[in-house]
PDB file of all heavy atoms in Angstrom:
ATOM      1  N   PRO V   9       1.840 -21.485 116.958  1.00 43.00           N
ATOM      2  CA  PRO V   9       2.755 -22.594 116.715  1.00 43.00           C
ATOM      3  C   PRO V   9       2.712 -23.565 117.892  1.00 43.00           C
ATOM      4  O   PRO V   9       2.205 -23.225 118.956  1.00 43.00           O
ATOM      5  CB  PRO V   9       4.115 -21.894 116.638  1.00 43.00           C
ATOM      6  CG  PRO V   9       3.963 -20.708 117.536  1.00 43.00           C
ATOM      7  CD  PRO V   9       2.531 -20.283 117.411  1.00 43.00           C
ATOM      8  N   PRO V  10       3.246 -24.777 117.694  1.00 43.00           N
ATOM      9  CA  PRO V  10       3.300 -25.710 118.823  1.00 43.00           C
ATOM     10  C   PRO V  10       4.182 -25.150 119.941  1.00 43.00           C
ATOM     11  O   PRO V  10       5.223 -24.575 119.671  1.00 43.00           O
ATOM     12  CB  PRO V  10       3.912 -26.978 118.206  1.00 43.00           C
ATOM     13  CG  PRO V  10       4.584 -26.520 116.966  1.00 43.00           C
ATOM     14  CD  PRO V  10       3.825 -25.336 116.476  1.00 43.00           C
ATOM     15  N   ARG V  11       3.747 -25.304 121.184  1.00 40.00           N
ATOM     16  CA  ARG V  11       4.528 -24.827 122.324  1.00 40.00           C
ATOM     17  C   ARG V  11       5.728 -25.737 122.532  1.00 40.00           C
ATOM     18  O   ARG V  11       5.695 -26.931 122.281  1.00 40.00           O
ATOM     19  CB  ARG V  11       3.662 -24.809 123.589  1.00 40.00           C
ATOM     20  CG  ARG V  11       2.430 -23.962 123.457  1.00 40.00           C
ATOM     21  CD  ARG V  11       2.798 -22.492 123.342  1.00 40.00           C
ATOM     22  NE  ARG V  11       3.421 -22.018 124.579  1.00 40.00           N
ATOM     23  CZ  ARG V  11       2.729 -21.465 125.569  1.00 40.00           C
ATOM     24  NH1 ARG V  11       1.417 -21.340 125.488  1.00 40.00           N
ATOM     25  NH2 ARG V  11       3.344 -21.034 126.649  1.00 40.00           N
ATOM     26  N   THR V  12       6.833 -25.167 123.022  1.00 45.00           N
ATOM     27  CA  THR V  12       8.012 -25.971 123.325  1.00 45.00           C
ATOM     28  C   THR V  12       8.119 -26.151 124.833  1.00 45.00           C
ATOM     29  O   THR V  12       7.407 -25.522 125.600  1.00 45.00           O
ATOM     30  CB  THR V  12       9.286 -25.266 122.828  1.00 45.00           C
ATOM     31  OG1 THR V  12       9.472 -24.092 123.612  1.00 45.00           O
ATOM     32  CG2 THR V  12       9.171 -24.892 121.366  1.00 45.00           C
ATOM     33  N   ASP V  13       9.028 -27.003 125.234  1.00 46.00           N
ATOM     34  CA  ASP V  13       9.214 -27.267 126.663  1.00 46.00           C
ATOM     35  C   ASP V  13      10.205 -26.309 127.312  1.00 46.00           C
ATOM     36  O   ASP V  13      10.415 -26.335 128.513  1.00 46.00           O
ATOM     37  CB  ASP V  13       9.697 -28.710 126.869  1.00 46.00           C
ATOM     38  CG  ASP V  13       8.598 -29.694 126.488  1.00 46.00           C
ATOM     39  OD1 ASP V  13       7.405 -29.302 126.539  1.00 46.00           O
ATOM     40  OD2 ASP V  13       8.932 -30.822 126.103  1.00 46.00           O
ATOM     41  N   ALA V  14      10.866 -25.456 126.487  1.00 52.00           N
ATOM     42  CA  ALA V  14      11.865 -24.554 127.046  1.00 52.00           C
ATOM     43  C   ALA V  14      11.227 -23.610 128.065  1.00 52.00           C
ATOM     44  O   ALA V  14      10.101 -23.155 127.863  1.00 52.00           O
ATOM     45  CB  ALA V  14      12.498 -23.742 125.916  1.00 52.00           C
ATOM     46  N   ALA V  15      11.950 -23.343 129.160  1.00 58.00           N
ATOM     47  CA  ALA V  15      11.413 -22.462 130.195  1.00 58.00           C
ATOM     48  C   ALA V  15      11.240 -21.060 129.619  1.00 58.00           C
ATOM     49  O   ALA V  15      12.197 -20.494 129.102  1.00 58.00           O
ATOM     50  CB  ALA V  15      12.374 -22.425 131.382  1.00 58.00           C
ATOM     51  N   PRO V  16      10.027 -20.515 129.670  1.00 58.00           N
ATOM     52  CA  PRO V  16       9.811 -19.187 129.104  1.00 58.00           C
ATOM     53  C   PRO V  16      10.442 -18.120 129.989  1.00 58.00           C
ATOM     54  O   PRO V  16      10.500 -18.277 131.208  1.00 58.00           O
ATOM     55  CB  PRO V  16       8.282 -19.066 129.092  1.00 58.00           C
ATOM     56  CG  PRO V  16       7.815 -19.972 130.173  1.00 58.00           C
ATOM     57  CD  PRO V  16       8.820 -21.075 130.276  1.00 58.00           C
ATOM     58  N   PRO V  17      10.916 -17.013 129.375  1.00 72.00           N
ATOM     59  CA  PRO V  17      11.448 -15.922 130.186  1.00 72.00           C
ATOM     60  C   PRO V  17      10.309 -15.250 130.949  1.00 72.00           C
ATOM     61  O   PRO V  17       9.153 -15.378 130.557  1.00 72.00           O
ATOM     62  CB  PRO V  17      12.050 -14.980 129.139  1.00 72.00           C
ATOM     63  CG  PRO V  17      11.325 -15.303 127.878  1.00 72.00           C
ATOM     64  CD  PRO V  17      10.948 -16.740 127.948  1.00 72.00           C
ATOM     65  N   ASP V  18      10.658 -14.564 132.012  1.00 87.00           N
ATOM     66  CA  ASP V  18       9.635 -13.881 132.807  1.00 87.00           C
ATOM     67  C   ASP V  18       9.221 -12.602 132.077  1.00 87.00           C
ATOM     68  O   ASP V  18       9.850 -11.570 132.217  1.00 87.00           O
ATOM     69  CB  ASP V  18      10.186 -13.551 134.198  1.00 87.00           C
ATOM     70  CG  ASP V  18       9.150 -12.800 135.022  1.00 87.00           C
ATOM     71  OD1 ASP V  18       7.960 -12.792 134.618  1.00 87.00           O
ATOM     72  OD2 ASP V  18       9.531 -12.210 136.047  1.00 87.00           O
ATOM     73  N   ASP V  19       8.159 -12.705 131.283  1.00 89.00           N
ATOM     74  CA  ASP V  19       7.723 -11.541 130.517  1.00 89.00           C
ATOM     75  C   ASP V  19       6.419 -10.974 131.055  1.00 89.00           C
ATOM     76  O   ASP V  19       5.684 -10.313 130.332  1.00 89.00           O
ATOM     77  CB  ASP V  19       7.601 -11.888 129.029  1.00 89.00           C
ATOM     78  CG  ASP V  19       6.652 -13.054 128.791  1.00 89.00           C
ATOM     79  OD1 ASP V  19       6.046 -13.539 129.768  1.00 89.00           O
ATOM     80  OD2 ASP V  19       6.510 -13.466 127.628  1.00 89.00           O
ATOM     81  N   THR V  20       6.145 -11.226 132.338  1.00 90.00           N
ATOM     82  CA  THR V  20       4.924 -10.697 132.934  1.00 90.00           C
ATOM     83  C   THR V  20       4.905  -9.169 132.833  1.00 90.00           C
ATOM     84  O   THR V  20       5.847  -8.502 133.257  1.00 90.00           O
ATOM     85  CB  THR V  20       4.844 -11.098 134.424  1.00 90.00           C
ATOM     86  OG1 THR V  20       5.098 -12.492 134.530  1.00 90.00           O
ATOM     87  CG2 THR V  20       3.494 -10.749 135.009  1.00 90.00           C
ATOM     88  N   GLY V  21       3.864  -8.649 132.258  1.00 90.00           N
ATOM     89  CA  GLY V  21       3.737  -7.187 132.138  1.00 90.00           C
ATOM     90  C   GLY V  21       4.526  -6.578 130.994  1.00 90.00           C
ATOM     91  O   GLY V  21       4.465  -5.371 130.761  1.00 90.00           O
ATOM     92  N   CYS V  22       5.282  -7.427 130.275  1.00 93.00           N
ATOM     93  CA  CYS V  22       6.103  -6.910 129.163  1.00 93.00           C
ATOM     94  C   CYS V  22       5.291  -6.963 127.874  1.00 93.00           C
ATOM     95  O   CYS V  22       5.545  -7.787 126.992  1.00 93.00           O
ATOM     96  CB  CYS V  22       7.383  -7.727 129.018  1.00 93.00           C
ATOM     97  SG  CYS V  22       8.447  -7.609 130.444  1.00 93.00           S
ATOM     98  N   THR V  23       4.335  -6.092 127.749  1.00 94.00           N
ATOM     99  CA  THR V  23       3.395  -6.205 126.634  1.00 94.00           C
ATOM    100  C   THR V  23       3.749  -5.322 125.441  1.00 94.00           C
ATOM    101  O   THR V  23       2.992  -5.246 124.485  1.00 94.00           O
ATOM    102  CB  THR V  23       1.974  -5.852 127.105  1.00 94.00           C
ATOM    103  OG1 THR V  23       2.003  -4.561 127.686  1.00 94.00           O
ATOM    104  CG2 THR V  23       1.476  -6.862 128.108  1.00 94.00           C
ATOM    105  N   ILE V  24       4.878  -4.629 125.516  1.00 94.00           N
ATOM    106  CA  ILE V  24       5.306  -3.812 124.374  1.00 94.00           C
ATOM    107  C   ILE V  24       6.362  -4.580 123.584  1.00 94.00           C
ATOM    108  O   ILE V  24       7.385  -4.999 124.138  1.00 94.00           O
ATOM    109  CB  ILE V  24       5.901  -2.461 124.832  1.00 94.00           C
ATOM    110  CG1 ILE V  24       4.970  -1.752 125.805  1.00 94.00           C
ATOM    111  CG2 ILE V  24       6.222  -1.597 123.610  1.00 94.00           C
ATOM    112  CD1 ILE V  24       3.697  -1.247 125.211  1.00 94.00           C
ATOM    113  N   LEU V  25       6.092  -4.751 122.294  1.00 94.00           N
ATOM    114  CA  LEU V  25       7.067  -5.390 121.400  1.00 94.00           C
ATOM    115  C   LEU V  25       7.604  -4.352 120.428  1.00 94.00           C
ATOM    116  O   LEU V  25       6.841  -3.532 119.916  1.00 94.00           O
ATOM    117  CB  LEU V  25       6.399  -6.503 120.590  1.00 94.00           C
ATOM    118  CG  LEU V  25       6.376  -7.921 121.170  1.00 94.00           C
ATOM    119  CD1 LEU V  25       5.735  -7.950 122.541  1.00 94.00           C
ATOM    120  CD2 LEU V  25       5.650  -8.877 120.218  1.00 94.00           C
ATOM    121  N   HIS V  26       8.919  -4.397 120.201  1.00 93.00           N
ATOM    122  CA  HIS V  26       9.500  -3.614 119.113  1.00 93.00           C
ATOM    123  C   HIS V  26      10.051  -4.608 118.097  1.00 93.00           C
ATOM    124  O   HIS V  26      10.937  -5.391 118.411  1.00 93.00           O
ATOM    125  CB  HIS V  26      10.607  -2.681 119.600  1.00 93.00           C
ATOM    126  CG  HIS V  26      11.221  -1.877 118.484  1.00 93.00           C
ATOM    127  ND1 HIS V  26      12.477  -2.123 117.987  1.00 93.00           N
ATOM    128  CD2 HIS V  26      10.713  -0.858 117.748  1.00 93.00           C
ATOM    129  CE1 HIS V  26      12.717  -1.270 117.002  1.00 93.00           C
ATOM    130  NE2 HIS V  26      11.685  -0.485 116.841  1.00 93.00           N
ATOM    131  N   VAL V  27       9.482  -4.565 116.891  1.00 94.00           N
ATOM    132  CA  VAL V  27       9.895  -5.493 115.827  1.00 94.00           C
ATOM    133  C   VAL V  27      10.686  -4.705 114.796  1.00 94.00           C
ATOM    134  O   VAL V  27      10.218  -3.690 114.288  1.00 94.00           O
ATOM    135  CB  VAL V  27       8.675  -6.160 115.167  1.00 94.00           C
ATOM    136  CG1 VAL V  27       9.139  -7.205 114.160  1.00 94.00           C
ATOM    137  CG2 VAL V  27       7.774  -6.786 116.219  1.00 94.00           C
ATOM    138  N   ASP V  28      11.875  -5.174 114.504  1.00 94.00           N
ATOM    139  CA  ASP V  28      12.791  -4.451 113.601  1.00 94.00           C
ATOM    140  C   ASP V  28      13.364  -5.453 112.598  1.00 94.00           C
ATOM    141  O   ASP V  28      13.999  -6.434 112.982  1.00 94.00           O
ATOM    142  CB  ASP V  28      13.916  -3.825 114.446  1.00 94.00           C
ATOM    143  CG  ASP V  28      14.668  -2.754 113.676  1.00 94.00           C
ATOM    144  OD1 ASP V  28      14.453  -2.632 112.452  1.00 94.00           O
ATOM    145  OD2 ASP V  28      15.479  -2.044 114.302  1.00 94.00           O
ATOM    146  N   MET V  29      13.103  -5.209 111.317  1.00 94.00           N
ATOM    147  CA  MET V  29      13.640  -6.090 110.277  1.00 94.00           C
ATOM    148  C   MET V  29      15.173  -5.983 110.252  1.00 94.00           C
ATOM    149  O   MET V  29      15.718  -4.893 110.390  1.00 94.00           O
ATOM    150  CB  MET V  29      13.105  -5.696 108.896  1.00 94.00           C
ATOM    151  CG  MET V  29      11.605  -5.647 108.788  1.00 94.00           C
ATOM    152  SD  MET V  29      10.849  -7.243 109.077  1.00 94.00           S
ATOM    153  CE  MET V  29       9.652  -6.777 110.290  1.00 94.00           C
ATOM    154  N   ASP V  30      15.819  -7.106 110.026  1.00 93.00           N
ATOM    155  CA  ASP V  30      17.291  -7.106 109.964  1.00 93.00           C
ATOM    156  C   ASP V  30      17.744  -6.672 108.577  1.00 93.00           C
ATOM    157  O   ASP V  30      17.390  -7.314 107.582  1.00 93.00           O
ATOM    158  CB  ASP V  30      17.823  -8.512 110.267  1.00 93.00           C
ATOM    159  CG  ASP V  30      17.413  -8.992 111.656  1.00 93.00           C
ATOM    160  OD1 ASP V  30      17.373  -8.165 112.582  1.00 93.00           O
ATOM    161  OD2 ASP V  30      17.127 -10.189 111.802  1.00 93.00           O
ATOM    162  N   ALA V  31      18.536  -5.608 108.532  1.00 92.00           N
ATOM    163  CA  ALA V  31      19.062  -5.093 107.245  1.00 92.00           C
ATOM    164  C   ALA V  31      17.972  -5.146 106.184  1.00 92.00           C
ATOM    165  O   ALA V  31      18.138  -5.726 105.110  1.00 92.00           O
ATOM    166  CB  ALA V  31      20.292  -5.898 106.811  1.00 92.00           C
ATOM    167  N   PHE V  32      16.841  -4.506 106.489  1.00 92.00           N
ATOM    168  CA  PHE V  32      15.614  -4.714 105.720  1.00 92.00           C
ATOM    169  C   PHE V  32      15.786  -4.526 104.220  1.00 92.00           C
ATOM    170  O   PHE V  32      15.445  -5.405 103.419  1.00 92.00           O
ATOM    171  CB  PHE V  32      14.521  -3.776 106.234  1.00 92.00           C
ATOM    172  CG  PHE V  32      13.254  -3.813 105.429  1.00 92.00           C
ATOM    173  CD1 PHE V  32      12.492  -4.972 105.361  1.00 92.00           C
ATOM    174  CD2 PHE V  32      12.820  -2.697 104.737  1.00 92.00           C
ATOM    175  CE1 PHE V  32      11.314  -5.005 104.625  1.00 92.00           C
ATOM    176  CE2 PHE V  32      11.646  -2.724 104.003  1.00 92.00           C
ATOM    177  CZ  PHE V  32      10.894  -3.873 103.942  1.00 92.00           C
ATOM    178  N   TYR V  33      16.323  -3.380 103.803  1.00 92.00           N
ATOM    179  CA  TYR V  33      16.390  -3.087 102.369  1.00 92.00           C
ATOM    180  C   TYR V  33      17.320  -4.084 101.659  1.00 92.00           C
ATOM    181  O   TYR V  33      17.058  -4.497 100.534  1.00 92.00           O
ATOM    182  CB  TYR V  33      16.858  -1.658 102.146  1.00 92.00           C
ATOM    183  CG  TYR V  33      15.953  -0.639 102.796  1.00 92.00           C
ATOM    184  CD1 TYR V  33      16.284  -0.047 104.007  1.00 92.00           C
ATOM    185  CD2 TYR V  33      14.750  -0.300 102.201  1.00 92.00           C
ATOM    186  CE1 TYR V  33      15.443   0.869 104.609  1.00 92.00           C
ATOM    187  CE2 TYR V  33      13.892   0.616 102.789  1.00 92.00           C
ATOM    188  CZ  TYR V  33      14.246   1.197 103.996  1.00 92.00           C
ATOM    189  OH  TYR V  33      13.409   2.095 104.591  1.00 92.00           O
TER     190      TYR V  33
END
Side-chain angles (χ1 to χ4, degrees):
Chain V
R11 302 292 295 268
T12 67
D13 292 335
D18 178 14
D19 57 4
T20 311
C22 296
T23 56
I24 309 291
L25 270 56
H26 180 253
V27 185
D28 196 350
M29 305 298 129
D30 300 323
F32 175 64
Y33 301 101

